[in-house]
Amino acid sequence: MPSTRHLSATTAQGGETQAQSAGSSLPTMTQAKPFGWLLVITGTVGWLAAGTLVLEKLAVLQDPNHVTVCDVNPWISCGEVMKTWQSSLFGFPNMFIGIVAFAVVITVGMALLAGAQFGRWFWVGLQTGVTLGFVFVVWLWSQALYDIHVLCPFCMIVWAAMIPMFVWTTVRNVVHGVIPLPAKATRVVGDSGWIATALLYVAVIATIFFAFIQVFAGTSGF
């Protein structure tokens, strides 16, 4: 991955750092087009998963006996998760938040692919929104594993989409100076995006395994 060693100066339009020396370059995934594609892809995956959950939720509201497409067994069931208070934390189904939020992310990604440039305030806003979304997803993940004890496959797809979205939005904003860090820390962050993404995926898989180890071992008391 390209080094961020020579990142310097700031632009007049957003206060973002630019690679100005001839041999310097930003990490690939923090450049406009690759980052735009990442937002479009992760946003689309999240939007489709949230959209499927919306359709299933509407079907459940119409028919309380409706069996959702991901009701596999007592431990893998979107329908069971939908019955919990955690699924409507703000008084309405959480998936409606996803429909709106992921649509915004897709729009930002498409704008970047079209060549749009945004000021620092915009990137601060995007970072805030993505971070809040990531924190919310982590909370939902912890509730599913340690309180509800049921996994929702489409929820897990949303988790999977949020991880690279959050990591690379943060990395992008660090190397562009939106999130100011010392030069050495900026280099480390710039070179660690995929490592952080992989570690978070491993952490999620490991926590699922250990939380449901009795199920995997066939000794569950459920």
Side-chain angles (χ1 to χ4, degrees), residues 35 39 105 108 120-135 162 165-175 178-179 189:
F35 183 68
L39 292 183
V105 170
V108 173
R120 183 178 183 275
W121 66 268
F122 180 90
W123 292 109
V124 170
L126 181 65
Q127 181 71 57
T128 301
V130 170
T131 301
L132 290 174
F134 182 74
V135 170
M162 281 301 304
M165 184 188 300
F166 168 72
V167 170
W168 282 107
T169 297
T170 304
V171 173
R172 186 260 172 222
N173 285 334
V174 167
V175 300
V178 177
I179 301 174
V189 171

Side-chain angles (χ1 to χ4, degrees), residues 70-193:
C70 51
D71 286 346
V72 179
N73 57 45
W75 309 283
I76 302 177
S77 172
C78 297
E80 289 300 314
V81 174
M82 288 179 184
K83 297 176 183 178
T84 66
W85 65 267
Q86 291 94 329
S87 69
S88 300
L89 183 63
F90 302 103
F92 55 88
N94 297 335
M95 59 281 293
F96 288 106
I97 300 175
I99 284 289
V100 176
F102 286 122
V104 172
V105 170
I106 295 170
T107 302
V108 173
M110 293 296 289
L112 290 172
L113 293 176
Q117 295 184 355
F118 303 108
R120 183 178 183 275
W121 66 268
F122 180 90
W123 292 109
V124 170
L126 181 65
Q127 181 71 57
T128 301
V130 170
T131 301
L132 290 174
F134 182 74
V135 170
F136 187 43
V137 163
V138 169
W139 180 78
L140 292 172
W141 153 77
S142 68
Q143 293 296 299
L145 266 60
Y146 305 115
D147 188 9
I148 303 171
H149 303 292
V150 179
L151 293 174
C152 165
F154 287 106
C155 299
M156 291 191 289
I157 293 174
V158 172
W159 302 352
M162 281 301 304
I163 287 174
M165 184 188 300
F166 168 72
V167 170
W168 282 107
T169 297
T170 304
V171 173
R172 186 260 172 222
N173 285 334
V174 167
V175 300
H176 283 267
V178 177
I179 301 174
L181 290 178
K184 185 175 181 179
T186 298
R187 289 196 298 270
V188 171
V189 171
D191 293 335
S192 302

Side-chain angles (χ1 to χ4, degrees), residues 50-72:
T52 301
L53 288 172
V54 167
L55 295 177
E56 291 297 331
K57 180 64 176 181
L58 293 176
V60 169
L61 291 175
Q62 292 177 343
D63 177 10
N65 296 318
H66 172 74
V67 178
T68 70
V69 295
C70 51
D71 286 346
V72 179

